[in-house]
Amino acid sequence: MVHEDSIMPDVRLLAAVAAGGVLGALARFGLQQAFPHEATGFGWATFAINVAGCLLIGIVVAAATESRRAPRLTRPFLVTGVLGGFTTFSTYIVDVQRALVGGAPRTALLYAAVTLVTALAAAGAGVRLAAFVFGRPGAAADGDLAEEVA
């Protein structure tokens, strides 16, 4: 028989991630509706969402790692939930595929490469920025916090 106390933390974790995911997905949906693009065009809204989301993931992961006082559900709510729901690499792949099918292979390749490189650089920059702000400028260089993002 499973003890009730062992189930409750999992329910709270699931609720935190789900609530955050709803908020992130709604924000992403709103931005994509506000800034649509042609099938053969560069997906600027999706690009900006993914790069900003990766920067924020780097910041939040590093800040949560540095903060000993952050509530236990802060990181799952913000990173997995809000920012996981906000970033949209599945839409990024669909945008690439639509550009290819639409006859814009250069745009598709440029979009695919620039998004990947920029999003990864943004996550690293977020880790370094948070490490600097929290008084450990060397932490990002020695890899302690960078491993948290991977």
Side-chain angles (χ1 to χ4, degrees), residues 16-35 43-58 60 76-92 95 111 115 119 122:
V17 171
V22 167
L23 295 174
L26 287 172
R28 172 178 33 91
F29 179 77
L31 286 170
Q32 288 178 315
Q33 293 300 305
F35 302 100
W44 286 108
T46 303
F47 173 79
I49 287 165
N50 286 333
V51 171
C54 286
L55 175 71
L56 291 171
I57 287 170
V60 171
F77 172 75
L78 290 175
V79 176
T80 307
V82 175
L83 295 172
F86 182 66
T87 56
T88 175
F89 285 89
S90 58
T91 300
Y92 151 73
D95 287 347
Y111 179 57
T115 298

Side-chain angles (χ1 to χ4, degrees), residues 54-66 117-150:
C54 286
L55 175 71
L56 291 171
I57 287 170
I59 291 170
V60 171
V61 166
T65 300
E66 289 298 312
V117 170
T118 308
L120 287 172
V127 168
R128 284 176 175 73
L129 178 63
F132 179 78
V133 168
F134 283 94
R136 285 192 58 209
D142 68 17
D144 289 350
L145 298 175
E147 290 175 9
E148 291 286 332
V149 174

